[in-house]
Amino acid sequence: MGGKNESSSATLELFLKIGLDERTAKNTVANNKVTTNLSAVIHEAGVIEGCNRTVGNLLYTVATKYPANALAHRPVLLEYVVSSKIKTPAQLEAAFSFLSNTASESLHVKEFEEACGVGIEVSVEDIEKTVSEIFELNKESILAMRYRTNVGDIFANIRKRLPWADPKIVKQLVDAKLYELLGERTAADNEKPTKQKKEKPAKVEEKKVAVETTVQPSEEELNPFLNFPDPKENFKVHTEIFFSDRPVLRCCNSKEMLDKHLMVTGGKVYSRFPPEPNGYLHIGHAKAMFVSFGLARERDGCCYLRFDDTNPEAEKKEYIDHIQEIVSWLGWKPFKITYTSDYFQELYELAVELIRRGHAYVDHQTAEEIKEYREKKKNSPWRDRPISESLRLFDEMKRGMIEEGKATLRMKQDMQSDNFNMYDLIAYRIKFTPHPHAGDKWCIYPSYDYAHCIVDSLENITHSLCTLEFETRRASYYWLLHSLDLYQPYVWEYSRLNVTNTVMSKRKLNFLVTNKHVDGWDDPRLMTLAGLRRRGVTSSAINTFVRGIGITRSDNSMIRMDRLEYHIREELNKTAARAMIVLNPLKVVITNFDSASVMDLEAKKWPDAQTEDSSAFYKVPFSNVVYIEQSDFRMKDSKDYYGLAPGKSVLLRYAFPIKCTDVLLADDNQTIVEIRAEYDPSKKTKPKGVLHWVCEPSPGVEPLKAEVRLFEKLFNSENPAELDDWLADLNPNSKKVVTGAYAVPVLKSAAVGDRFQFERLGYFAVDKDSTPDNLVFNRIVTLRDSYGKVGK
């Protein structure tokens, strides 16, 4: 046992040396086939002492995708990889294609190098020229379709002309060219998903296409962070803000400002994960963590965990503690944990400066009046009040001299803009509520729109990454930083994660919890991360799932639940030990087995268990009283039925064949009370059906009892959030509790969180409600896998 662990540890260390991240390395070690291949590739390549991450990723691809018919030429390919003559995924794919056709025949080096683009360097100028030519050819179509243009077709045309061009540079130049030709996205561009959603005939097909296109190209699978620029490039145009009464504002960092920023950060990536502590995190936040923490990890940078705690009425210490725990559980280590409230003094001082510069004013409109005036694009009556008056009133707000709801500080932006998020957003409001982190020092609190971008700047964030619903706020984000002459991070929005048969809105989740439609934030039926963890889902399965989705800007894609379940099964199949449990027991008395005897049999924990490895087996008692599932017995047999029936034989897994000889019925002559059977100790009988079972561990003693909770989808519809009455769509059968299950004795020592594959039933985990006298198991997923059959 010790030797096996030491070997796994050495293999893990070897994989880490070539630059694999820890999770990928551990998952690889758990897969015997890939481990064997990758170890062989590393030794063949002569990099057992390590190599850089780029080479390591290519070696991993060789280990997993190399054509089996051309193994004779693998050492030659590895020489090209290690020497960086083949250095991109595109070159490697070309090599695989060439070698697959070559098979075991002699390798023609010149033809091989031509096929793989060895020695070809594509300059930025060449890429720029090609991009310009393709845009010129398709200009009319691009202008007509605008941001609905299929950018994938553009990339494909570029790849045809320049197959060895750096895909990162290609993407940057294509994005820049699109922006040059079309300018900032308009409101019409942003309305596109809504229009598509209303077109009912195309609705099903649209969702189907969206799900299918989530599979990333191979280079993005290896590095989904290719989209993001280097911090040193943060002098480029971030966005343009169009005003109704003055020239366009082009927001960007000056050289002096960028140099100052880079001096503080050392040129490293600085990102942040900024949850609001007003509820528990859901699986969409797992994607947000992967994007922000993952980018920092990929670029050897830093990622803050920043609590966006600007609303004391909705925030709790419970939520803060939960978020820190979940971030750690998912394997992310924050560079620093901060709170927006840490910066309340700086934010207040900058608000005063904003007023002094004429960019903010104190307003006395009610919330309803503000809403009405914004809808009508009307200026507030107090918009043009003297700066000195706003300064005095803002000071009175801070000192608690003005009643709650009687005044706000609003940014003076552009009430005639086409962008609703430039309609004089609120910067501060009065709330006489103690703050869970800052205490009772403040009675005015900044809004998200005011605080978020400023704290990004104060923390020297290089990449401010958020979901697409914040895209229209980009203008106000840069407007405020520009107005205060602050450093401006690079902002990029990606599509949010939507999963079928659930709701992802914190408001809706909170409603389900507070109104007891579910059993708390960690109810295993919820897509909260606490719920998934309690259900038994592993953090690595969640991370693999969100990585596979990719970091795209295609909005409104709905990811099917079975895609997540596929990744859960993939991991549990390797890590969950097998055991047997009977949910609805039916008593079977074996009449030709001594009633006073108990035989210890060996059952496999793993399908490929080797006889010499005793740790891969567990003891299961066999006596004359066994229990099978009620559903595994019928009074009438049929050809397509493999269970037990009168006069029929089945095999008890890991034990013996048994044949039903008699059936005892209750007084109603329908309810089956007991089965009588005979066993075949010689095992000469070869029945087709194989059943799981549990027996009395000793004469007259009941088997180990357990409670089993079976979970189904929480909602019947794929997208309940779209329904007017979304609560009516709750699945009344989403939770079934089985209290009389029987389990094999080995499960008695199972601890909370332990995971098992109960044979023929699914994957299960021990719930926190378990006690020594009452084991409770949650079903994580069933054994069936519809997604894997269709394809990842």
Side-chain angles (χ1 to χ4, degrees):
M1 184 99 175
K4 186 176 180 180
N5 287 337
E6 289 170 8
S7 173
S8 296
S9 178
T11 305
L12 178 62
E13 184 180 351
L14 177 65
F15 294 170
L16 292 173
K17 281 182 180 180
I18 67 165
L20 295 188
D21 65 75
E22 190 172 353
R23 294 190 313 284
T24 303
K26 285 182 177 178
N27 287 339
T28 302
V29 170
N31 186 315
N32 292 334
K33 182 178 179 180
V34 179
T35 294
T36 301
N37 287 347
L38 184 55
S39 297
V41 164
I42 292 171
H43 282 83
E44 275 182 32
V47 292
I48 56 174
E49 295 305 317
C51 61
N52 64 55
R53 179 175 291 185
T54 300
V55 171
N57 281 336
L58 294 176
L59 295 180
Y60 186 88
T61 306
V62 171
T64 54
K65 294 186 177 181
Y66 189 88
N69 66 336
L71 284 175
H73 303 304
R74 192 168 73 178
V76 176
L77 174 62
L78 294 175
E79 287 179 13
Y80 279 82
V81 172
V82 172
S83 63
S84 292
K85 291 179 179 177
I86 288 179
K87 53 190 178 182
T88 69
Q91 287 181 296
L92 197 58
E93 290 292 336
F96 290 163
S97 177
F98 183 91
L99 294 172
S100 178
N101 292 328
T102 302
S104 59
E105 297 175 6
S106 299
L107 180 66
H108 298 285
V109 174
K110 186 176 179 181
E111 292 178 9
F112 172 71
E113 291 186 348
E114 286 178 357
C116 302
V118 173
I120 297 175
E121 295 290 339
V122 182
S123 68
V124 175
E125 290 75 19
D126 288 336
I127 301 174
E128 284 179 335
K129 180 182 177 184
T130 303
V131 169
S132 296
E133 289 173 357
I134 288 173
F135 266 73
E136 191 61 32
L137 286 172
N138 297 279
K139 188 173 181 179
E140 287 186 15
S141 171
I142 294 171
L143 286 172
M145 295 296 292
R146 289 188 58 77
Y147 284 101
R148 291 171 294 169
T149 299
N150 188 339
V151 181
D153 289 343
I154 295 175
F155 288 147
N157 287 329
I158 295 170
R159 277 197 296 270
K160 284 180 183 178
R161 297 193 189 188
L162 301 173
W164 317 123
D166 186 330
K168 179 182 175 183
I169 296 174
V170 170
K171 187 178 188 315
Q172 289 173 355
L173 292 175
V174 168
D175 287 348
K177 197 71 179 175
L178 268 176
Y179 190 87
E180 177 185 326
L181 187 61
L182 304 177
E184 191 74 17
R185 279 178 178 262
T186 65
D189 291 326
N190 293 327
E191 286 173 2
K192 178 204 164 201
T194 306
K195 289 181 179 179
Q196 285 187 341
K197 206 162 91 176
K198 290 180 180 178
E199 293 172 2
K200 291 184 179 179
K203 188 174 182 180
V204 174
E205 188 62 26
E206 177 189 329
K207 290 183 179 179
K208 181 180 177 183
V209 171
V211 171
E212 289 176 351
T213 56
T214 54
V215 180
Q216 301 297 311
S218 58
E219 60 263 32
E220 290 189 23
E221 286 177 348
L222 288 170
N223 187 354
F225 304 103
L226 288 173
N227 291 325
F228 305 122
D230 190 272
K232 293 175 184 176
E233 299 175 353
N234 218 356
F235 60 89
K236 295 180 179 178
V237 173
H238 299 140
T239 196
E240 289 180 338
I241 302 172
F242 298 88
F243 291 96
S244 58
D245 60 348
R246 58 183 184 270
V248 174
L249 171 65
R250 177 165 287 180
C251 291
C252 59
N253 289 314
S254 65
K255 186 179 186 305
E256 294 73 25
M257 190 177 288
L258 183 61
D259 287 345
K260 181 181 177 182
H261 160 78
L262 293 172
M263 190 176 296
V264 174
T265 63
K268 285 188 173 184
V269 162
Y270 273 56
S271 59
R272 83 288 174 272
F273 172 59
E276 184 179 355
N278 63 350
Y280 278 46
L281 302 183
H282 54 65
I283 196 166
H285 293 103
K287 178 176 179 179
M289 280 184 253
F290 170 73
V291 175
S292 291
F293 280 106
L295 173 63
R297 178 181 288 179
E298 175 66 27
R299 304 279 182 89
D300 296 320
C302 308
C303 183
Y304 287 89
L305 168 57
R306 183 207 304 157
F307 291 102
D308 183 20
D309 56 344
T310 60
N311 184 6
E313 293 175 335
E315 293 153 9
K316 296 180 183 178
K317 178 73 162 54
E318 171 194 352
Y319 300 146
I320 291 172
D321 293 342
H322 155 75
I323 290 169
Q324 291 191 52
E325 183 184 350
I326 285 294
V327 168
S328 175
W329 176 66
L330 281 173
W332 304 116
K333 294 180 180 179
F335 157 65
K336 194 181 289 185
I337 297 175
T338 60
Y339 298 77
T340 296
S341 56
D342 293 339
Y343 303 94
F344 274 178
Q345 184 62 39
E346 291 97 323
L347 289 165
Y348 170 76
E349 291 169 1
L350 287 166
V352 171
E353 179 61 24
L354 197 66
I355 298 171
R356 286 187 180 130
R357 296 185 179 200
H359 297 312
Y361 61 97
V362 172
D363 187 22
H364 299 293
Q365 288 183 302
T366 64
E368 292 76 17
E369 288 172 336
I370 290 174
K371 180 182 178 184
E372 180 187 349
Y373 274 54
R374 293 184 82 216
E375 287 173 351
K376 295 179 179 179
K377 292 191 173 187
K378 287 174 60 178
N379 289 348
S380 163
W382 288 276
R383 193 175 199 263
D384 295 321
R385 74 191 324 160
I387 289 173
S388 58
E389 192 176 315
S390 282
L391 287 170
R392 175 179 60 79
L393 289 167
F394 189 52
D395 180 62
E396 291 178 3
M397 287 171 60
K398 176 179 179 289
R399 290 191 286 143
M401 297 171 64
I402 301 178
E403 290 181 40
E404 191 169 320
K406 296 297 184 181
T408 58
L409 181 70
R410 293 179 67 184
M411 294 178 267
K412 191 184 288 187
Q413 296 168 296
D414 184 2
M415 290 295 295
Q416 303 306 310
S417 172
D418 289 334
N419 186 340
F420 187 77
N421 284 294
M422 286 292 286
Y423 293 176
D424 289 12
L425 299 176
I426 291 174
Y428 270 86
R429 67 270 200 232
I430 303 167
K431 286 184 183 291
F432 293 107
T433 305
H435 191 280
H437 185 67
D440 58 4
K441 181 180 178 182
W442 297 88
C443 64
I444 57 170
Y445 293 100
S447 67
Y448 169 88
D449 292 291
Y450 173 77
H452 185 70
C453 58
I454 292 178
V455 178
D456 274 357
S457 182
L458 295 177
E459 290 186 341
N460 278 290
I461 299 304
T462 59
H463 297 74
S464 180
L465 310 173
C466 53
T467 47
L468 277 169
E469 64 262 35
F470 293 96
E471 186 174 24
T472 56
R473 292 181 171 180
R474 191 191 287 199
S476 62
Y477 182 103
Y478 282 121
W479 174 89
L480 183 54
L481 295 182
H482 177 86
S483 298
L484 290 169
D485 293 323
L486 295 175
Y487 159 76
Q488 299 166 24
Y490 169 81
V491 174
W492 198 81
E493 302 87 3
Y494 54 89
S495 59
R496 64 177 293 155
L497 172 56
N498 296 304
V499 180
T500 58
N501 304 97
T502 190
V503 291
M504 305 285 276
S505 154
K506 270 193 184 178
R507 181 181 59 81
K508 285 185 169 66
L509 288 171
N510 188 54
F511 186 91
L512 291 173
V513 172
T514 55
N515 290 278
K516 302 189 181 305
H517 293 288
V518 293
D519 304 323
W521 284 101
D522 66 346
D523 188 302
R525 292 168 290 177
L526 292 177
M527 282 290 106
T528 59
L529 293 168
L532 289 167
R533 179 171 63 168
R534 182 176 178 183
R535 186 162 179 158
V537 178
T538 64
S539 57
S540 50
I542 292 171
N543 284 329
T544 302
F545 166 66
V546 295
R547 183 184 183 95
I549 293 168
I551 310 173
T552 68
R553 284 176 57 84
S554 56
D555 200 13
N556 269 13
S557 58
M558 184 68 70
I559 306 300
R560 292 186 59 83
M561 180 80 78
D562 49 15
R563 180 167 182 169
L564 170 61
E565 291 177 346
Y566 165 81
H567 290 288
I568 295 170
R569 287 189 191 91
E570 279 288 284
E571 178 164 327
L572 292 176
N573 190 45
K574 302 168 189 172
T575 59
R578 273 58 171 173
M580 291 191 293
I581 196 168
V582 173
L583 299 182
N584 300 292
L586 176 59
K587 187 176 181 180
V588 179
V589 177
I590 300 174
T591 55
N592 63 334
F593 189 88
D594 184 3
S595 62
S597 298
V598 176
M599 184 186 305
D600 273 340
L601 304 176
E602 284 198 330
K604 291 182 178 182
K605 290 182 181 179
W606 313 103
D608 56 353
Q610 301 300 311
T611 307
E612 62 273 12
D613 184 1
S614 60
S615 67
F617 294 84
Y618 68 94
K619 299 292 184 183
V620 56
F622 181 77
S623 65
N624 80 313
V625 177
V626 301
Y627 295 88
I628 63 173
E629 294 285 356
Q630 292 178 16
S631 59
D632 281 335
F633 180 82
R634 287 183 188 173
M635 291 298 290
K636 291 185 178 180
D637 195 12
S638 61
K639 289 183 179 180
D640 59 347
Y641 176 61
Y642 294 95
L644 190 62
K648 185 178 180 180
S649 295
V650 295
L651 175 65
L652 297 181
R653 189 151 174 76
Y654 308 120
F656 304 96
I658 62 169
K659 181 178 181 179
C660 176
T661 57
D662 196 9
V663 181
L664 303 186
L665 301 176
D667 292 341
D668 60 7
N669 284 327
Q670 289 185 343
T671 305
I672 299 169
V673 175
E674 185 179 298
I675 304 296
R676 297 293 172 88
E678 293 181 352
Y679 89 115
D680 175 9
S682 68
K683 299 185 180 181
K684 290 182 179 178
T685 309
K686 301 296 181 183
K688 292 182 179 179
V690 180
L691 306 184
H692 64 283
W693 55 279
V694 173
C695 82
E696 290 185 351
S698 57
V701 176
E702 286 190 336
L704 177 66
K705 286 188 176 180
E707 176 181 315
V708 179
R709 297 171 181 174
L710 307 175
F711 300 109
E712 298 291 345
K713 295 179 174 72
L714 185 57
F715 289 89
N716 292 314
S717 300
E718 287 200 349
N719 193 0
E722 283 188 337
L723 304 176
D724 292 333
D725 189 0
W726 61 279
L727 283 174
D729 192 54
L730 278 166
N731 177 9
N733 302 312
S734 61
K735 178 182 178 181
K736 180 183 178 184
V737 179
V738 179
T739 55
Y742 283 158
V744 289
V746 72
L747 291 173
K748 185 174 181 59
S749 59
V752 174
D754 286 351
R755 301 174 184 87
F756 302 91
Q757 183 195 107
F758 291 157
E759 300 207 31
R760 299 179 67 226
L761 297 176
Y763 297 95
F764 292 77
V766 183
D767 187 77
K768 68 178 184 180
D769 288 344
S770 285
T771 65
D773 299 323
N774 183 40
L775 279 173
V776 179
F777 293 95
N778 294 326
R779 183 169 67 190
I780 309 170
V781 285
T782 58
L783 291 177
R784 67 179 181 272
D785 178 10
S786 58
Y787 176 72
K789 293 174 184 176
V790 176
K792 294 171 279 182

